[in-house]
Amino acid sequence: MNTREIASEYRKAQWTQIIQERVASGESISKYCDSRGIRRNRYFYWQRKLRELACKELLSEVKMNPNDGGRSTSGTSLAPGWALCEQSESEIEADTSSVIVEIGKFRIIVGVSTGYEHLEKVCRVLVSLC
């Protein structure tokens, strides 16, 4: 890894920490930025760059493994922080080969062939958008 890559990783880590601290604080972006002397447009720039990087990473992994589905071999075990949700009767009757996931204002339909790792990354991106 050269110095440019190291500097880039360091900046991303700093931006991620700031975004996570703001979310954990529960403060509005304006209030958080004002209290810490951060320009709002700078905060939004960092947020946009991190989202773009997350989406690129997600796309590259899907392109690398388009056929394996990334299925978990652990059966029904869930990662820390995940919860098993049930579908309503009408949703089950409508389509038994998918599940609906709602995160904030987002709603996605996930097919049975969707890999666990892929779904986890998509959910992380959606949580960051909320």
Side-chain angles (χ1 to χ4, degrees):
M1 189 178 279
N2 65 37
T3 55
R4 182 174 286 170
E5 291 170 334
I6 293 170
S8 175
E9 289 299 317
Y10 180 75
R11 282 192 305 272
K12 286 188 279 186
Q14 285 183 313
W15 299 346
T16 300
Q17 182 179 0
I18 289 169
I19 302 294
Q20 288 175 340
E21 285 176 3
R22 201 283 306 165
V23 170
S25 75
E27 294 177 322
S28 69
I29 293 172
S30 294
K31 186 175 179 180
Y32 179 85
C33 290
D34 288 345
S35 68
R36 287 157 183 84
I38 299 171
R39 292 190 330 242
R40 279 185 30 168
N41 63 341
R42 177 63 51 188
Y43 179 92
F44 287 117
Y45 170 81
W46 296 337
Q47 189 176 48
R48 187 183 85 237
K49 286 297 189 183
L50 290 172
R51 287 177 181 164
E52 289 172 357
L53 290 167
C55 289
K56 284 179 185 176
E57 180 183 315
L58 188 60
L59 279 174
S60 68
E61 289 194 14
V62 169
K63 288 179 183 176
M64 287 188 328
N65 298 315
N67 295 323
D68 80 352
R71 293 191 185 134
S72 173
T73 58
S74 60
T76 59
S77 65
L78 299 172
W82 286 71
L84 184 60
C85 299
E86 296 181 21
Q87 292 178 298
S88 69
E89 288 300 318
S90 62
E91 291 170 338
I92 292 172
E93 290 172 9
D95 185 3
T96 58
S97 64
S98 64
V99 65
I100 296 171
V101 178
E102 292 184 24
I103 299 175
K105 63 183 178 182
F106 301 100
R107 184 177 195 178
I108 58 173
I109 299 173
V110 181
V112 293
S113 63
T114 302
Y116 173 78
E117 292 84 5
H118 178 71
L119 177 59
E120 184 178 18
K121 288 181 181 178
V122 169
C123 289
R124 268 194 250 126
V125 170
L126 293 178
V127 167
S128 75
L129 296 173
C130 293

